[in-house]
Amino acid sequence: MSDWKIGDDRRRRTTDQLRHLRRANEGQVHWDTEAPADFTFLFHPDHLLVDAEDVDVFEEAVARLDKGVLSEPPRRDDVRLLDGALVRYVLPTRQGGETVPEVLDLLEEAGLPDGAASPDHWVHVSPGGGGGAACPAVEPEETGLTDPWPPIEPQEKGDEVSVVVVDTGWHPPAATDPRTPWLKGVDGDDENNGAHLRPYAGHGTFIAGVVRCAAPRTRIFVEGFAVDGVGGGGILESEMLLQLEEAMTHDPQVINLSAGCRTWRDRPSKAFAAFYRDLLKGSDCVMVAAAGNDSWAAPFWPAAFDWCVGVGSLDRDERVSSFSNFGVSADVYVVGRNHVNAFPDGTFTCHETPNKGDVRVFGTGMARWSGTSFAAPLVAGLIAREISEHGVSAADARTAVLKRAVRDSDPTIGPVKELRRPYV
């Protein structure tokens, strides 16, 4: 996995992340470029996703494909997605070594309609330099602060609102720790932290803390997709769909997803589109997602969907953070730099350039972290608070919160909509 163009910390960091993700998933992570630091999307080397309604045209195109490409027809996987509404195929060995995107190109030449099939992309919570990542923008840092920042916004009245944080899992001791009382009552899938903290440990707990500080009267469940360190902080979009199905069983009014992905040809993610079509669209629930940390305007899914609230990051000076994505993936911007919130105690060894090998000791129940990962739950909390205090639907709460955004212009990216609270 050499990178002949590597030459700065950002590129080295991206390469470090991909090496970690690939090791954690036994080689099931491929990308679209020779140099890993240049990647735009990550995908499973053998999976294709097809909507059930397109299965016939897909299989017809496969039958027309040159017999020298596939040694046998693709196999329908036994994983059941949205009760069969989305089908995952497993490609056999390609005699010419064709990648999934190359097979899709050949299938479209054979008559497969545009968009009928897609790679199974990797959704990830790490930062990126290429584009398959989301957040955070840095690894967690120690802090001597004992109070969260942005601070807790007291709330005396309002109904309880259900929020599901779909993330790396939950650190149960935080719910009873006297140092983090704002997390009392939060529950979720235990990420089973030990004395040595794995990469991405505490990510979901930190995000739950951001939501609670903005909206104290929330019932939060952290739906974990990378508990026990499985996956290296990443998950296939088809597997993410299963996690989102689980999330909906908690009857959420707001879902926060601080993760995402770029896709082949920048087409909308099939898994997230199917989730909206079959589950989210008919519910009283809003999804909020991080815009990503790649400093560019290319679509980042699910934040780029018009039904999802995509959130970019601001610094305290009200300018867009240098790491934040912008454009179609960011409907609104809010502070995402240098948040302070709950984090597990333990020893953390950095695995990314330029701090690779640096040992950080966390013993205060808190950490400092930056990224659109942490801007997103602030907006999720504001929407939940609007529902709680005014008894409105999730959709109306989303509209009300976004209407409070102030139009401004950032010299590097142009017009933006910013949510400015007292802490910005």
Side-chain angles (χ1 to χ4, degrees), residues 8 37 97 113 152 170 208 215 233-234 272 276 285 291 360 380 399 401 405:
D8 58 50
I152 300 170
W170 165 242
F272 287 118
Y276 173 71
C285 179
R360 298 175 178 177
T399 299
V401 169

Side-chain angles (χ1 to χ4, degrees), residues 50-389:
V50 180
D51 286 318
E53 62 186 23
D54 292 323
V55 161
D56 288 345
V57 295
F58 170 74
E59 294 186 353
E60 289 168 3
V62 169
R64 290 193 295 269
L65 195 63
D66 187 304
K67 298 301 185 278
V69 178
L70 300 180
S71 58
E72 58 188 62
R75 171 178 61 84
R76 287 200 197 192
D77 204 338
D78 57 5
V79 63
R80 195 156 182 83
L81 304 171
L82 293 173
D83 200 29
L86 189 64
V87 180
R88 190 168 78 184
Y89 283 89
V90 180
L91 293 177
T93 301
R94 276 77 74 194
Q95 299 178 25
E98 291 87 355
T99 66
V100 166
E102 288 170 341
V103 170
L104 284 169
D105 286 337
L106 293 172
L107 285 170
E108 292 192 354
E109 290 176 9
L112 183 69
D114 288 354
S118 167
D120 193 359
H121 302 96
W122 281 93
V123 178
H124 202 253
V125 300
S126 80
C135 7
V138 296
E139 292 177 283
E141 301 172 333
E142 305 104 318
T143 180
L145 298 179
T146 56
D147 294 319
W149 190 90
I152 300 170
E153 299 255 347
Q155 183 184 5
E156 296 181 0
K157 297 181 180 180
D159 298 327
E160 187 177 66
V161 176
S162 174
V163 177
V164 174
V165 172
V166 181
D167 212 273
T168 60
W170 165 242
H171 183 60
T176 54
D177 193 326
R179 299 171 299 179
T180 55
W182 59 92
L183 286 172
K184 181 179 179 181
V186 173
D187 196 7
D189 295 325
D190 190 345
E191 64 182 9
N192 298 311
N193 292 310
H196 182 77
L197 301 175
R198 298 177 295 263
Y200 316 117
H203 192 261
T205 300
F206 195 102
I207 285 168
V210 175
V211 174
R212 262 289 178 83
C213 287
R217 297 184 69 82
T218 45
R219 181 177 73 257
I220 300 176
F221 187 88
V222 182
E223 177 69 36
F225 65 77
V227 296
D228 291 319
V230 175
I235 184 172
L236 289 167
E237 62 177 313
S238 59
E239 301 291 339
M240 174 61 82
L241 184 53
L242 298 175
Q243 296 297 324
L244 291 170
E245 289 186 77
E246 285 288 325
M248 293 301 288
T249 67
H250 296 280
D251 297 321
Q253 291 153 283
V254 181
I255 293 175
N256 185 90
L257 180 63
S258 289
C261 62
R262 287 283 303 279
T263 57
W264 177 58
R265 295 185 179 174
D266 285 329
R267 290 175 174 172
S269 158
K270 273 199 171 294
F272 287 118
F275 166 67
Y276 173 71
R277 180 192 67 219
D278 290 8
L279 290 179
L280 192 65
K281 187 177 181 180
S283 70
D284 183 26
C285 179
V286 167
M287 174 176 275
V288 180
N293 297 327
D294 298 299
S295 308
W296 59 16
F300 190 78
W301 311 98
F305 283 107
D306 58 6
W307 50 262
C308 181
V309 181
V311 185
S313 173
L314 297 177
D315 294 343
R316 290 201 199 193
D317 63 0
E318 301 179 0
R319 291 305 185 193
V320 176
S321 302
S322 60
F323 53 78
S324 180
N325 284 354
F326 50 96
V328 69
S329 303
D331 299 299
V332 69
Y333 299 80
V334 69
V335 63
R337 176 94 70 175
N338 289 331
H339 277 246
V340 175
N341 220 294
F343 192 78
D345 289 342
T347 301
F348 177 82
T349 302
C350 296
H351 69 288
E352 298 173 2
T353 300
N355 300 312
K356 187 186 293 185
D358 182 36
V359 177
R360 298 175 178 177
V361 179
F362 296 89
T364 64
M366 306 282 281
R368 183 186 301 275
W369 228 339
S370 298
T372 58
S373 264
F374 315 116
L378 192 48
V379 173
L382 293 174
I383 292 173
R385 190 181 185 113
E386 188 75 17
I387 298 170
S388 175
E389 293 182 337

